[in-house]
Amino acid sequence: MDRLLSIEPLSAAAFAPFGEVIAAGAALQRFAINGGTTERLHALARARADDGDVVISLALAQARQFPFEISMLERHPKGSQAFIPLDQRPYIIVVASAPTHQPHAFLATQGEGINFRAGTWHHPLIALQDSSQFLIVDRDGPGNNCDEIALQPSWWLTGIDAG
Amino acid sequence: MDRLLSIEPLSAAAFAPFGEVIAAGAALQRFAINGGTTERLHALARARADDGDVVISLALAQARQFPFEISMLERHPKGSQAFIPLDQRPYIIVVASAPTHQPHAFLATQGEGINFRAGTWHHPLIALQDSSQFLIVDRDGPGNNCDEIALQPSWWLTGIDAG
């Protein structure tokens, strides 16, 4: 039996149980710096890296094919993980409060980034266009920091026009 | 007496004394993730935040006017500070090994980001186009984390076409 997952627009409120949205519209603190030439939208997200370092990496992602099967989730218990698109290309975020609960699928557009809170169950990156480029801010350190779980039955993402 | 500062292209090697370049060409570790659909360019930069957190912020910057006077430098002793352009717009980075030494000015293009190592003397953000947008990854925490020093005489950046 197929289980279909609908895709919601991303918003800071809807994503709050899972982490933070990194976008100008989500800013709670804005102030001028550098003699008024720059506005800082402060601390949209907070990184965590237990027993390790916060590192900045790049991801070059290929488009996923639709309909797309959500057959597994993963989580990083020792650290947060942020993805920020560098090319304004849309992508999909799938998160769940528990592997046995129905996941949420969010469509990120217009350069919106997200930060998964440590321990948040999520699907690996779902790019919609080839050569999508993301900045990653996450943990580098010793020991296992990735739990994976299979979803049975799977969920299916449908109805996306990758554009 | 005016002191003129010439502008060099940014490269990982030339910037190494001051920090890291965040760009695909600077990657030392590249590997496939997510079933081969994504390539990760791992740990281009390492964040540091003594006695605080690493936070992710946005900066919305206005263009500086040229010729531009470099009349001060600052440093953040307790943490690194990264700037990653989100719109491919060029900008200028000014760093110095000491306030009494001649600064280096680098032109970053094609989305190149940089990470100032903790304690690196640098000039605040020098955007070349209005509404330039940057991601910032730096420290949030208690106590003073910004030393400033005036440069006398100043240095001048010239010969830039903001385009």
Side-chain angles (χ1 to χ4, degrees):
Chain A
M1 188 189 72
D2 285 353
R3 301 197 289 185
L4 300 180
L5 204 56
S6 63
I7 298 168
E8 310 164 43
L10 181 64
S11 73
F15 195 69
F18 313 105
E20 299 131 326
V21 170
I22 300 166
L28 298 177
Q29 295 182 65
R30 305 175 75 124
F31 46 85
I33 58 173
N34 301 348
T37 62
T38 300
E39 184 179 21
R40 180 172 172 133
L41 286 59
H42 182 63
L44 292 158
R46 204 161 283 269
R48 186 179 133 191
D50 299 354
D51 186 29
D53 289 338
V54 175
V55 292
I56 302 173
S57 305
L58 288 172
L60 308 178
Q62 302 312 309
R64 305 286 192 151
Q65 301 306 312
F66 282 79
F68 183 71
E69 184 178 11
I70 305 291
S71 60
M72 59 81 73
L73 295 173
E74 66 182 29
R75 66 174 175 185
H76 309 301
K78 295 184 176 180
S80 58
Q81 186 173 50
F83 291 89
I84 301 100
L86 295 177
D87 49 21
Q88 301 274 324
R89 295 186 184 173
Y91 63 103
I92 290 175
I93 305 143
V94 172
V95 286
S97 50
T100 52
H101 292 187
Q102 178 169 336
H104 293 262
F106 296 104
L107 178 65
T109 60
Q110 299 180 315
E112 292 166 321
I114 55 91
N115 186 41
F116 296 123
R117 193 171 293 123
T120 294
W121 288 102
H122 63 277
H123 192 276
L125 194 56
I126 304 173
L128 297 177
Q129 294 177 24
D130 278 340
S131 302
S132 293
Q133 197 170 339
F134 296 84
L135 197 80
I136 307 176
V137 181
D138 68 356
R139 174 189 179 273
D140 188 40
N144 176 56
N145 186 30
C146 191
D147 301 330
E148 285 190 23
I149 194 161
L151 298 185
Q152 288 180 321
S154 297
W155 293 86
W156 288 86
L157 285 176
T158 56
I160 271 289
D161 173 9
Chain B
M1 186 189 72
D2 285 352
R3 301 195 290 183
L4 301 180
L5 204 55
S6 63
I7 297 167
E8 310 163 44
L10 180 64
S11 73
F15 195 69
F18 312 105
E20 299 131 325
V21 170
I22 299 167
L28 299 177
Q29 296 181 66
R30 304 175 76 122
F31 46 85
I33 59 173
N34 301 348
T37 62
T38 300
E39 185 180 19
R40 180 172 171 133
L41 286 60
H42 181 63
L44 292 158
R46 203 162 283 270
R48 187 179 131 189
D50 299 353
D51 186 28
D53 289 339
V54 175
V55 293
I56 302 173
S57 304
L58 288 172
L60 308 178
Q62 302 312 311
R64 305 286 193 151
Q65 302 305 313
F66 282 79
F68 183 72
E69 184 178 12
I70 306 291
S71 59
M72 59 80 74
L73 295 174
E74 66 182 28
R75 66 175 175 184
H76 309 300
K78 295 184 177 181
S80 57
Q81 187 174 49
F83 291 89
I84 302 100
L86 295 177
D87 49 20
Q88 302 275 323
R89 295 186 184 173
Y91 63 105
I92 290 174
I93 305 143
V94 172
V95 285
S97 50
T100 52
H101 291 187
Q102 178 170 335
H104 293 262
F106 295 104
L107 178 65
T109 60
Q110 299 181 316
E112 293 167 321
I114 54 91
N115 186 40
F116 296 123
R117 192 171 294 122
T120 294
W121 288 102
H122 63 277
H123 191 277
L125 195 55
I126 304 172
L128 297 177
Q129 294 176 24
D130 278 341
S131 301
S132 294
Q133 198 169 340
F134 296 83
L135 197 81
I136 308 177
V137 181
D138 67 356
R139 174 188 178 276
D140 188 40
N144 177 55
N145 186 32
C146 191
D147 301 330
E148 285 190 23
I149 194 162
L151 298 185
Q152 290 181 320
S154 298
W155 293 87
W156 289 85
L157 284 176
T158 56
I160 272 288
D161 173 9

